[in-house]
Amino acid sequence: MVYRYDGSFDGFWSCVFMRFRNRETPEQVLAPDELPLASGVWVGTRKDWAGRVRKGIRARFGEEVWDYLRDGFLSCLPGRAGILLRMVKRLYRSGEKALADCRDPDAAALRKAVLMLREQGHKLEGFLRFSGCGGVLAAVIRPKNGVLPMLAAHFSVRFPGERFLIYDEGRKLAFFHAPGQRQFLPIDGLTLPPPDEAERLCRALWKGFLQAVSIRERENPGCQRAHLPLRFRPWMTEFDKEEGRPALGAGKK
């Protein structure tokens, strides 16, 4: 048996609900972009079903376990829906120790994926660069993992009085924050306007500062790539060559 769902977060937990309600054991749980020609049982997204599963897991195992499973779904782990479905079954059968059983291939893969997601989210909390766009701070990212909810929580606390937008162009999802308002919005594409004079000045000052504190004699490309991965640089102001020479070259520490 194969479950098919719409790929959404609530859609997956609807699959979990159906699995327990019908006492079924699907071999796979597939989103539309996974084996599109394969047949299977379609599971419609039911927010009430998803809510009941979420409430049950939180009540029985606590918020930390729920966060762990949520992050597993947001990760880029191949076949994560099927792995999570099996892990939820083991969780109810054996308790929290099932998540820490590294002898279990599913548990080991899930743990690795969650650690990778959280590490990437933590790095982006420091590497994310906002640009002023008509009274709104905007940033574009394309991470491997779905870290947007993690960034949304972090920057909502850090900038509670600001209006800002973070757009994950890989997942076509944006988060908008304003005082008293927070929401995730599906957006097919986002093109930011050219920077105005104030934004160009801010970028130039930032690059000038980084040039001033750089020490050319201590260039260490390997160290920089370890602490500042190449995949983050396309969206970082200091590596933007449009405004002139970047503040940090490929070999600067």
Side-chain angles (χ1 to χ4, degrees):
M1 176 178 291
V2 174
Y3 280 177
R4 302 200 68 91
Y5 74 114
D6 62 5
S8 68
F9 189 62
D10 284 339
F12 166 71
W13 293 108
S14 298
C15 292
V16 175
F17 182 91
M18 178 173 279
R19 179 254 176 266
F20 281 95
R21 187 193 66 175
N22 296 349
R23 299 178 183 273
E24 297 171 337
T25 307
E27 295 181 4
Q28 291 178 297
V29 182
L30 302 174
D33 59 342
E34 299 176 290
L35 297 177
L37 299 180
S39 60
V41 177
W42 176 258
V43 180
T45 298
R46 291 275 302 268
K47 289 185 178 297
D48 56 333
W49 288 2
R52 288 177 63 178
V53 175
R54 181 164 53 245
K55 183 178 179 180
I57 292 176
R58 282 173 163 167
R60 184 163 179 175
F61 303 106
E63 200 70 26
E64 186 175 346
V65 169
W66 168 253
D67 289 346
Y68 186 84
L69 297 173
R70 176 205 62 199
D71 290 351
F73 181 83
L74 294 172
S75 74
C76 59
L77 176 64
R80 64 186 182 278
I83 291 174
L84 281 167
L85 190 66
R86 293 191 292 272
M87 289 308 305
V88 171
K89 177 183 176 181
R90 292 167 193 156
L91 182 65
Y92 274 94
R93 184 178 60 197
S94 305
E96 296 180 38
K97 63 181 181 181
L99 299 177
D101 185 3
C102 293
R103 298 169 300 177
D104 181 349
D106 286 342
L110 182 61
R111 179 176 179 80
K112 182 178 179 180
V114 170
L115 290 175
M116 183 183 298
L117 174 136
R118 292 177 176 178
E119 179 185 8
Q120 188 174 71
H122 178 68
K123 286 183 177 180
L124 274 172
E125 288 174 0
F127 296 152
L128 194 69
R129 301 290 184 256
F130 287 100
S131 296
C133 299
V136 177
L137 298 176
V140 178
I141 57 174
R142 195 183 181 91
K144 291 182 178 180
N145 295 278
V147 298
L148 185 58
M150 184 176 176
L151 298 177
H154 173 79
F155 285 104
S156 293
V157 172
R158 187 174 180 184
F159 303 136
E162 296 286 351
R163 292 165 54 86
F164 67 82
L165 177 78
I166 305 174
Y167 179 57
D168 183 341
E169 63 179 7
R171 293 168 179 80
K172 310 294 184 184
L173 183 65
F175 172 75
F176 176 74
H177 173 278
Q181 181 182 359
R182 297 176 59 184
Q183 62 183 130
F184 290 90
L185 303 168
I187 301 177
D188 288 336
L190 178 66
T191 301
L192 299 180
D196 58 19
E197 184 177 353
E199 175 63 22
R200 288 196 298 270
L201 176 60
C202 182
R203 293 183 185 186
L205 289 173
W206 174 238
K207 292 179 180 181
F209 166 75
L210 292 174
Q211 287 179 7
V213 299
S214 300
I215 302 175
R216 292 183 178 276
E217 291 75 15
R218 297 187 63 187
E219 292 181 355
N220 190 331
C223 179
Q224 190 188 63
R225 284 193 294 271
H227 293 282
L228 191 60
L230 296 174
R231 64 177 178 273
F232 294 124
R233 300 185 189 185
W235 300 277
M236 297 181 66
T237 307
E238 52 266 47
F239 292 97
D240 180 9
K241 298 182 181 180
E242 292 183 2
E243 305 293 330
R245 180 180 177 275
L248 294 178
K252 289 295 186 65
K253 183 178 179 180

